[in-house]
Amino acid sequence: MNKSVDIICVGEVLIDFIGHEMASLEKTKDFHRFLGGSPTNVAVNAARLGLHSVLVATSGSDGFGDYIHQKLQTNQVSTAYMRKSLSLPTSVIFVSRSAQTPEFIPFREADREILEDQLPDTLLEKASIFHTTCFALSKDPARMTILNRAHKAKSLGLQMSIDINYSEKIWPNRYEAHQVLKDYLSTNPLVKVSEDDCLRLFGEVKTETAIFDYFHQLGVSTICLTKGKDGVVVSDLLHGIYSQAAIPLEEVKDSTGAGDAFWTGFLFARLQNKSMEDAIAMAQKLASIKLQNVGRLPDNTRSLMV
């Protein structure tokens, strides 16, 4: 069957209120509104790279929900499989503007209402990649929907993917998080995880070897460990270990969404059957572009990737 959809992004859609100035949340006076949510960012980024992306997510039936749908359509992301909850408002997160890992305060509502009829077989059958996040798996009914449909997607031959953006603020029960992740990781997804994610997920500092061993033992072939200014290390069971330094930048305007940009670049390269070295390089390039822009990627993103 013709794969007319490059990537299905399943999970949180929300409003990011990002601080106007570089400051902690305590000291931030003004916030600017942005379309947010990790899988949402990946869907928008992918569309800006010329891919056909579909977002499967739920907003509220409110002004923020209307804003979300309008922004997605402007960015040419398919909203055919989105819902507007009649009972819960749109989720929002207040985020500090930072050159490092930002602070955030979440107010989660409609994003967790993802239902199975939003992921029909007809959609899965025409897609290449199924991507989700740890955030999205943290609450039902989204959790069960994603797990059930992920196994169906795997059986249909899709490349699975996950950003393990774990935070105890989102998912206080770390044991439960590990059990749910084991279920999803059994589909052998491409895994993106940061050093900060690992510290939160394991509750302690782990070596790179320990991190890679943990995920490989759960059936994962490829793990991308992002390390901020120290670059990225990839462990792949077939190709070995790859390490690349971060691209040096004169100025970092905002780190929010840089990890999502990195992962979009990596998935984009994999769809083009690029080598592992080229995939990491493209991922780093897209992350560096995002670090120099507040909010979404610029209009000329694709030309900057050449």
Side-chain angles (χ1 to χ4, degrees):
M1 179 177 289
N2 178 40
K3 298 292 186 177
S4 57
V5 174
D6 292 301
I7 181 168
I8 303 170
C9 296
V10 190
E12 64 271 24
V13 68
L14 45 86
I15 300 295
D16 275 334
F17 286 100
I18 301 177
H20 180 55
E21 61 274 344
M22 288 278 192
S24 65
L25 285 176
E26 177 188 3
K27 296 181 179 179
T28 300
K29 297 179 181 178
D30 300 300
F31 295 86
H32 288 184
R33 178 182 67 175
F34 294 97
L35 178 66
S38 179
T40 305
N41 292 339
V42 172
V44 171
N45 294 345
R48 297 185 80 73
L49 289 173
L51 300 180
H52 181 192
S53 61
V54 172
L55 181 63
V56 177
T58 302
S59 69
S61 297
D62 49 35
F64 286 156
D66 294 341
Y67 168 81
I68 284 169
H69 279 253
Q70 182 269 318
K71 294 295 287 184
L72 289 169
Q73 290 163 6
T74 298
N75 283 282
Q76 299 183 314
V77 174
S78 172
T79 59
Y81 299 90
M82 290 186 64
R83 290 181 60 248
K84 287 187 176 181
S85 174
L86 297 177
S87 58
L88 295 173
T90 299
S91 299
V92 301
I93 295 184
F94 288 86
V95 187
S96 66
R97 186 176 168 196
S98 173
Q100 306 299 322
T101 302
E103 298 175 74
F104 69 94
I105 301 175
F107 295 89
R108 295 190 64 186
E109 298 288 351
D111 74 89
R112 67 180 182 267
E113 276 196 353
I114 300 174
L115 308 180
E116 290 211 21
D117 62 7
Q118 291 175 255
L119 278 163
D121 287 358
T122 51
L123 172 60
L124 298 178
E125 287 167 353
K126 59 187 178 183
S128 295
I129 295 176
F130 183 109
H131 173 68
T132 192
T133 65
C134 197
F135 187 118
L137 288 168
S138 64
K139 287 185 179 292
D140 280 321
R143 175 190 301 165
M144 290 310 302
T145 294
I146 293 169
L147 291 176
N148 289 341
R149 301 312 290 161
H151 289 288
K152 179 63 176 180
K154 179 65 176 179
S155 73
L156 291 171
L158 277 74
Q159 171 62 67
M160 310 304 291
S161 165
I162 186 170
D163 184 343
I164 303 186
N165 56 347
Y166 177 80
S167 171
E168 60 276 13
K169 289 184 181 179
I170 300 297
W171 205 342
N173 189 331
R174 186 180 284 112
Y175 174 79
E176 180 184 74
H178 278 270
Q179 297 308 114
V180 173
L181 281 172
K182 285 180 182 179
D183 191 344
Y184 189 87
L185 295 175
S186 69
T187 66
N188 188 19
L190 298 168
V191 167
K192 183 263 178 191
V193 65
S194 72
E195 284 186 319
D196 289 336
D197 296 330
C198 289
L199 178 59
R200 292 187 291 258
L201 181 65
F202 298 113
E204 61 182 3
V205 175
K206 295 272 192 181
T207 65
E208 289 178 8
T209 299
I211 292 168
F212 292 144
D213 286 348
Y214 175 83
F215 290 113
H216 285 318
Q217 288 168 8
L218 292 176
V220 176
S221 296
T222 305
I223 306 115
C224 290
L225 175 63
T226 59
K227 305 172 67 176
K229 62 181 176 57
D230 294 321
V232 59
V233 181
V234 175
S235 179
D236 184 89
L237 288 179
L238 184 61
H239 299 102
I241 302 288
Y242 297 84
S243 179
Q244 282 192 20
I247 296 174
L249 301 173
E250 291 184 2
E251 180 185 14
V252 173
K253 292 185 178 179
D254 181 31
S255 62
T256 304
D260 300 325
F262 173 92
W263 199 233
T264 308
F266 189 85
L267 296 178
F268 176 71
R270 292 300 293 256
L271 283 167
Q272 295 184 323
N273 296 314
K274 297 290 187 181
S275 68
M276 188 63 71
E277 293 96 330
D278 287 345
I280 299 169
M282 293 181 77
Q284 293 272 62
K285 177 65 173 178
L286 200 62
S288 71
I289 293 170
K290 176 62 197 73
L291 287 166
Q292 296 171 86
N293 290 271
V294 179
R296 72 179 192 178
L297 291 168
D299 291 339
N300 62 336
T301 295
R302 181 148 190 167
S303 64
L304 294 172
M305 291 291 288
V306 177

